[in-house]
Amino acid sequence: MHGRDCTYIDVGCSLGYFAAQAVALGARAICYEPTPVYVDAIQHSRKLNRASDESWMVHQAAVFPQKRKSSHRMSDAYKPCGVGRNALRAARGQSPRGWNVPVISMDEVLRGRNVTVLKVDTDGDDGALLASVEAILAARETSVETIVVELGDLHGLDAWCLANPSNYIRGRPKSEDVTKAACAHLSTYMRGAPFDVLWRFVHVHGYDAYRLNTHTAREIFDWRGINLNKRMAPAPYGLQPFFGVRGMRKLERLDPQFPLTKYPELLRWGQSFLLTRVSILPIASHHELDVFSMQRAMGTHRTWHHFQGFLNNGTFADRGLPADFNSSVYE
């Protein structure tokens, strides 16, 4: 967002970490946060960063998919890593029954705006809010370049279950069949929205969809760039691993050909997705180590002609090799 006339909108701004970074990069930030003590913290951050009210707008409000009421009562809020616990406890001491906040609709947030980045993280009906965004886009009443949203079944198991089921399956027999069955639990909804909402962003509105693997596939690298985390959650079928330096997997692109009926397999608890119309990450191909790491992840046989084929054609498929070519020399 640096150096452009950008608008960053944060629905569920929390303490304002991401908004502060957006402002530091020169964007105009608009925060929506219903928790009073968090709003105070955001305003304090704005003052410390010497940002103007115009460059960093803060609204104490709850954003709903539709505005069915004028206010909403709250009594608690998400505490990231415990931050804000004491302040929230003090607030509840002063208002045991909680606090009322104004309600605005997603339509009021977006209508008539050109948005560079929209972040949605309310730990609630995030899917329903995303469905509202899709409807406003379909009506051509807004433009949103990039969206970051947390999706996945709030009641399901997370992707780490596949890496180490014994930590997640408690009070059950430790048989392999039971742990596999429990980890295979599919999402039943997308936080208040049907799965085809995500499909429409890709197939109707032209977005690329990426899973952010910050909480689903953490890597631990040594000095050579080799991942030492043997328990890392695997990339499921339907997500194409993208690579940066030496195979560091940071984004996983949703294959546009992945069938809608299998979307529930991808949306486990607490997984965030990046939806964008910007081409942000071509597959690395500047060094054979990068290509070989992709081949390992994709289960493709490693040969020199596969590497050359990828550089020339963008695919690991054979392209008519000479009859006398001996690939075993390059194994």
Side-chain angles (χ1 to χ4, degrees):
M1 293 192 295
H2 183 66
R4 295 173 52 195
D5 183 15
C6 300
T7 297
Y8 169 82
I9 295 181
D10 196 326
V11 176
C13 202
S14 187
L15 297 171
Y17 336 91
F18 299 112
Q21 294 178 53
V23 171
L25 290 171
R28 177 179 179 234
I30 306 174
C31 277
Y32 296 91
E33 171 55 49
T35 310
V37 293
Y38 289 177
V39 171
D40 291 343
I42 297 168
Q43 292 173 336
H44 190 61
S45 293
R46 180 174 63 185
K47 182 178 179 180
L48 289 174
N49 285 278
R50 299 179 180 178
S52 67
D53 293 352
E54 177 63 26
S55 64
W56 189 348
M57 301 176 66
V58 184
H59 301 281
Q60 183 181 341
V63 179
F64 278 35
Q66 292 86 32
K67 189 173 181 179
R68 296 196 175 107
K69 55 183 180 179
S70 60
S71 65
H72 178 65
R73 180 173 291 277
M74 297 184 60
S75 60
D76 202 359
Y78 175 66
K79 298 169 280 295
C81 300
V83 176
R85 181 182 290 113
N86 292 335
L88 281 169
R89 186 181 295 120
R92 285 196 298 270
Q94 296 175 2
S95 303
R97 297 183 60 190
W99 56 89
N100 285 321
V101 293
V103 168
I104 63 173
S105 68
M106 182 61 82
D107 184 83
E108 293 174 275
V109 171
L110 293 180
R111 184 187 292 272
R113 280 181 168 150
N114 293 318
V115 182
T116 311
V117 177
L118 169 66
K119 170 182 156 284
V120 179
D121 186 3
T122 65
D123 291 303
D125 290 335
D126 302 86
L129 290 168
L130 185 65
S132 294
V133 175
E134 193 275 330
I136 301 166
L137 286 169
R140 301 181 182 274
E141 294 173 342
T142 189
S143 171
V144 184
E145 189 174 89
T146 297
I147 303 167
V148 181
V149 59
E150 187 173 4
L151 298 172
D153 194 335
L154 283 169
H155 307 290
L157 297 167
D158 66 27
W160 277 90
C161 183
L162 296 172
N164 188 14
S166 62
N167 281 351
Y168 290 82
I169 315 304
R170 297 182 175 89
R172 297 171 179 261
K174 294 297 182 67
S175 71
E176 183 179 358
D177 290 340
V178 170
T179 56
K180 280 187 175 180
C183 284
H185 166 81
L186 301 182
S187 293
T188 56
Y189 78 121
M190 199 176 70
R191 296 201 181 190
F195 293 102
D196 64 352
V197 169
L198 184 58
W199 185 93
R200 288 200 298 273
F201 271 96
V202 175
H203 293 275
V204 177
H205 301 294
Y207 285 79
D208 287 324
Y210 300 87
R211 185 177 77 164
L212 303 176
N213 66 6
T214 51
H215 288 293
T216 55
R218 299 182 182 108
E219 305 100 332
I220 303 172
F221 293 104
D222 65 8
W223 64 272
R224 297 167 295 176
I226 295 175
N227 181 24
L228 303 179
N229 184 7
K230 304 303 182 184
R231 294 173 49 232
M232 187 173 76
Y237 169 68
L239 292 174
Q240 302 168 332
F242 274 56
F243 295 82
V245 179
R246 298 299 168 263
M248 286 182 270
R249 194 173 90 205
K250 294 301 179 188
L251 290 176
E252 293 164 335
R253 181 173 178 264
L254 176 61
D255 186 345
Q257 302 306 314
F258 192 66
L260 173 60
T261 55
K262 290 186 173 291
Y263 272 43
E265 299 176 12
L266 303 180
L267 294 165
R268 293 175 178 269
W269 176 86
Q271 295 186 340
S272 294
F273 275 77
L274 174 71
L275 311 175
T276 184
R277 287 171 167 163
V278 179
S279 179
I280 58 174
L281 190 65
I283 297 177
S285 60
H286 64 282
H287 195 286
E288 62 182 284
L289 290 178
D290 296 305
V291 179
F292 288 158
S293 64
M294 279 189 284
Q295 289 176 301
R296 284 196 299 272
M298 298 170 67
T300 308
H301 192 51
R302 169 176 163 169
T303 63
W304 177 254
H305 78 264
H306 277 129
F307 171 59
Q308 290 293 341
F310 179 82
L311 293 182
N312 294 331
N313 308 307
T315 177
F316 293 124
D318 292 340
R319 294 284 183 172
L321 296 170
D324 60 350
F325 183 85
N326 183 5
S327 63
S328 64
V329 175
Y330 303 100
E331 299 289 340

